Amino acid sequence: MSDYRSEIKNIFSKFNTQEEFEYTSCTGTNWAKGIPASRREIISPVDNVPIGKIYLADIKSYHQVVSKAESAFKQWQLIPAPKRGEVIRQIGNAFRENKEDLAKIISLEAGKILQESLGEVQEVIDICDFAAGLSRQLYGLTIQSERSSHRMMEQWHPLGIVGIISAFNFPVAVWSWNAIIGAVCGNVSIWKPSEKTPYTAIFAHKIIEKTLKLNNVPEGVFNLVIGDYTIGSEMSNDPKIALVSATGSTAMGKKVAQNVAARLGKSLLELSGNNAIILTEHANLDMAMRSVVFGAVGTCGQRCTSTRRLIVHEDIYDEVKTRLVEVYKRIKPNNPFLEGTILGPLIDKEAVSMFNTNILQSIQEGGRLLVGGGLSKELPGNYVYAAIIEAHNSHESVQNETFAPILYLLRYDGGIENAIEIQNGVKQGLSSSIFTENFKQAELFIASTGSDCGIANVNLGTSGAEIGGAFGGEKETGGGRESGSDAWKNYMRRQTCTINYGNEMPLAQGITFEM
Ligand code: UN1
């Protein structure tokens, strides 16, 4: 067994951080203490042993952070974007230097296998590189005016404070999508991490501290508030938060959206997925198997992009089923720090009970459990056996997202349109994919009548998107787009400017208005 607990101890002392962490918020480099009454124990899903105790912020300390953020915004927006980009470039390097340490904290706290935790920190580094380049590319359009001696253009200004509510499953990457891109745009951010993964957030802040000091970044550009749902709810109701970016369940997202809409604020939502891979009769099955298993088993099925449904053509159904069951029989859940582990633990006991309930419900609805299910008796954490269930798309258990390694095997017959109908026949619309060597099937899948998801892949799985594309989905996934492409526009307000450099006062639409 790897000596992960002593490695983690070394990381805590390297960053001069106590396991009992008394601070509830951080404005840049200044940490504010909480009160012991708010203490909460954080248990590692790896071994069900506490990591330490954290203190939760109250509403008053949240508002103190907001006022620091407000004054920081006044200064930060005046710094030229490429100079802000330079700070972000250095922040990226700080994450590069501390990649292994932060990854180990993620694995201990979120239970991800070390390879995936390293991948998550890499995602932060990539976002920093992307954002540094972006800082010189926050382009607006110039538009031809219908009036002579007039110039029209669009420019983009920062919004102000971006509130970030992030989930346990990507405890730092999703923060970086919002905070880092938001920062090059000239915004400041307040991060409320998941209560299940506060240490990842604490260490992320510790990692950037030196760079913030070195560059005299105003206190309050990057802020952290460790708190429960009351902080998230205060944020969504707070008119001082220009944009609330929330990642989590559809139920949570609906509350946030309604609160933010009631004050006509902006929200950016990345909510539940119910992602499917279609295997047509023309699929390369060797390629598909790897993607299906990574998509369904990776992060213990707890990615928004995890593969929940496999829609298989009847001609290859039996072969796919046999091959997958064989592979699943060999997958044993194990400690995420051990090399070779591909299935780590679920985040907590509640997740285990949801995993069990979902399987039971599926069986009651007519589903057939082919392999897996149940809790490992050999290991002390929340280790379950990844399951495959033969089911029908109309089953409630299939329709509702469960964050767990359960793969529903669904059969289709006839043409590709039948598979697409099943694929689209859920409330969520995040990620989707098809495996086919037939270009017509591939094109139909990504045509406007094809997949209705925000992400549609051909011959690769549903999870593991690159940062360069816009990330997000439709329907109950919430409609938001984060990360790459032009998602930066969500963090800025558009201003249309018309400048008259002539001596006449012509009106648009040819209106005469003589006085
Ligand atoms: C999430 O699960 O909220 O595409 C984000 C992926 C990752 C991000 C997932 N790059 O699977």
Side-chain angles (χ1 to χ4, degrees):
M1 179 67 67
S2 90
D3 200 4
Y4 60 95
R5 279 284 179 174
S6 67
E7 285 175 37
I8 296 283
K9 238 183 170 33
N10 292 340
I11 299 169
F12 270 81
S13 61
K14 183 171 155 190
F15 284 90
N16 210 1
T17 301
Q18 303 296 321
E19 276 85 356
E20 173 145 348
F21 194 75
E22 300 171 304
Y23 305 90
T24 57
S25 68
C26 178
T27 48
T29 57
N30 296 319
W31 295 85
K33 276 197 176 168
I35 50 161
S38 72
R39 247 182 327 196
R40 181 171 293 190
E41 198 157 62
I42 301 296
I43 313 266
S44 167
V46 175
D47 47 20
N48 266 336
V49 171
I51 302 172
K53 287 189 178 121
I54 52 136
Y55 290 41
L56 296 182
D58 57 11
I59 300 293
K60 197 172 137 224
S61 38
Y62 159 75
H63 285 292
Q64 282 161 356
V65 172
V66 172
S67 75
K68 289 270 164 47
E70 271 185 305
S71 40
F73 175 57
K74 289 193 184 121
Q75 301 168 54
W76 183 244
Q77 65 173 322
L78 296 177
I79 297 170
K83 292 217 161 66
R84 297 193 294 253
E86 169 55 20
V87 175
I88 297 304
R89 190 186 64 78
Q90 293 176 36
I91 286 178
N93 284 343
F95 281 108
R96 265 189 187 90
E97 281 158 28
N98 295 285
K99 182 175 171 180
E100 302 256 328
D101 286 347
L102 187 58
K104 284 175 186 160
I105 300 289
I106 297 172
S107 284
L108 186 73
E109 196 171 43
K112 283 192 197 193
I113 62 167
L114 203 50
Q115 272 305 313
E116 288 192 75
S117 299
L118 288 165
E120 169 154 15
V121 185
Q122 188 58 45
E123 197 157 336
V124 178
I125 296 165
D126 293 343
I127 276 285
C128 291
D129 287 353
F130 176 84
L134 184 67
S135 69
R136 291 181 185 270
Q137 300 173 76
L138 303 170
Y139 301 135
L141 295 172
T142 57
I143 299 147
Q144 295 299 320
S145 171
E146 64 188 55
R147 290 170 281 186
S148 68
S149 303
H150 278 57
R151 183 162 73 82
M152 278 175 79
M153 64 172 187
E154 271 182 357
Q155 31 173 22
W156 294 88
H157 296 307
L159 294 174
I161 306 176
V162 176
I164 304 165
I165 300 170
S166 64
F168 77 86
N169 65 334
F170 271 81
V172 66
V174 173
W175 162 77
S176 75
W177 295 352
N178 291 284
I180 298 293
I181 305 273
V184 292
C185 295
N187 300 289
V188 300
S189 58
I190 301 178
W191 180 17
K192 191 209 92 63
S194 161
E195 288 160 74
K196 295 173 186 176
T197 51
Y199 286 102
T200 303
I202 291 163
F203 280 97
H205 257 255
K206 297 256 166 193
I207 286 169
I208 67 174
E209 263 180 3
K210 213 159 82 189
T211 312
L212 299 181
K213 272 197 191 125
L214 216 67
N215 290 278
N216 293 318
V217 172
E219 182 193 351
V221 172
F222 294 100
N223 305 285
L224 171 66
V225 178
I226 301 163
D228 61 14
Y229 71 95
T230 56
I231 302 294
S233 145
E234 189 72 8
M235 233 181 208
S236 53
N237 284 307
D238 187 350
K240 290 183 171 167
I241 309 295
L243 171 71
V244 179
S245 177
T247 305
S249 68
T250 294
M252 178 279 293
K254 279 184 179 166
K255 279 191 206 138
V256 169
Q258 283 167 18
N259 290 342
V260 176
R263 61 176 175 88
L264 298 182
K266 291 182 162 61
S267 56
L268 210 176
L269 304 172
E270 198 248 292
L271 312 174
S272 308
N274 197 344
N275 318 298
I277 296 181
I278 296 173
L279 302 183
T280 81
E281 67 279 28
H282 300 297
N284 175 331
L285 287 188
D286 293 331
M287 274 168 68
M289 287 299 145
R290 213 171 118 85
S291 289
V292 170
V293 176
F294 178 71
V297 169
T299 326
C300 203
Q302 299 170 114
R303 289 192 189 210
C304 297
T305 51
S306 288
T307 309
R308 296 192 76 240
R309 299 177 295 144
L310 190 63
I311 305 165
V312 187
H313 191 269
E314 59 178 349
D315 288 357
I316 55 166
Y317 187 87
D318 289 335
E319 185 189 348
V320 168
K321 180 168 139 181
T322 313
R323 282 179 70 168
L324 261 182
V325 169
E326 274 313 303
V327 175
Y328 265 58
K329 276 185 184 154
R330 294 199 303 269
I331 301 173
K332 301 265 181 291
N334 209 347
N335 185 305
F337 286 92
L338 285 181
E339 229 182 273
T341 300
I342 61 166
L343 175 62
L346 281 168
I347 185 70
D348 53 21
K349 293 208 160 69
E350 204 189 328
V352 174
S353 101
M354 269 152 64
F355 169 81
N356 290 330
T357 312
N358 197 265
I359 293 177
L360 278 180
Q361 185 191 351
S362 176
I363 294 167
Q364 276 160 15
E365 289 175 322
R368 219 162 69 86
L369 179 65
L370 300 178
V371 63
L375 188 69
S376 163
K377 291 187 181 58
E378 293 147 42
L379 295 159
N382 313 311
Y383 296 88
V384 297
Y385 288 91
I388 303 178
I389 303 180
E390 253 179 337
H392 194 272
N393 201 49
S394 63
H395 292 169
E396 270 297 302
S397 48
V398 178
Q399 287 285 320
N400 296 322
E401 183 192 46
T402 320
F403 249 25
I406 304 173
L407 181 67
Y408 291 99
L409 203 55
L410 314 171
R411 182 199 292 259
Y412 82 95
D413 51 24
I416 182 72
E417 59 286 353
N418 296 337
I420 292 171
E421 197 180 321
I422 298 171
Q423 134 71 36
N424 291 344
V426 288
K427 296 188 291 277
Q428 310 83 348
L430 180 54
S431 188
S432 59
S433 97
I434 190 170
F435 275 80
T436 181
E437 305 278 285
N438 176 303
F439 88 94
K440 284 188 180 169
Q441 288 184 332
E443 289 290 339
L444 281 169
F445 179 69
I446 57 167
S448 69
T449 48
S451 164
D452 63 4
C453 291
I455 298 170
N457 295 333
V458 177
N459 291 331
L460 63 144
T462 57
S463 67
E466 298 177 23
I467 61 104
F471 184 95
E474 303 301 328
K475 303 194 286 187
E476 286 204 350
T477 303
R481 291 297 185 280
E482 297 170 295
S483 191
S485 184
D486 64 353
W488 61 270
K489 290 180 177 169
N490 288 316
Y491 305 89
M492 303 199 91
R493 60 187 171 88
R494 185 196 310 245
Q495 187 170 64
T496 306
C497 305
T498 309
I499 298 142
N500 178 0
Y501 56 91
N503 300 314
E504 306 292 321
M505 205 45 255
L507 297 174
Q509 294 87 43
I511 294 172
T512 36
F513 189 79
E514 298 298 344
M515 288 192 295

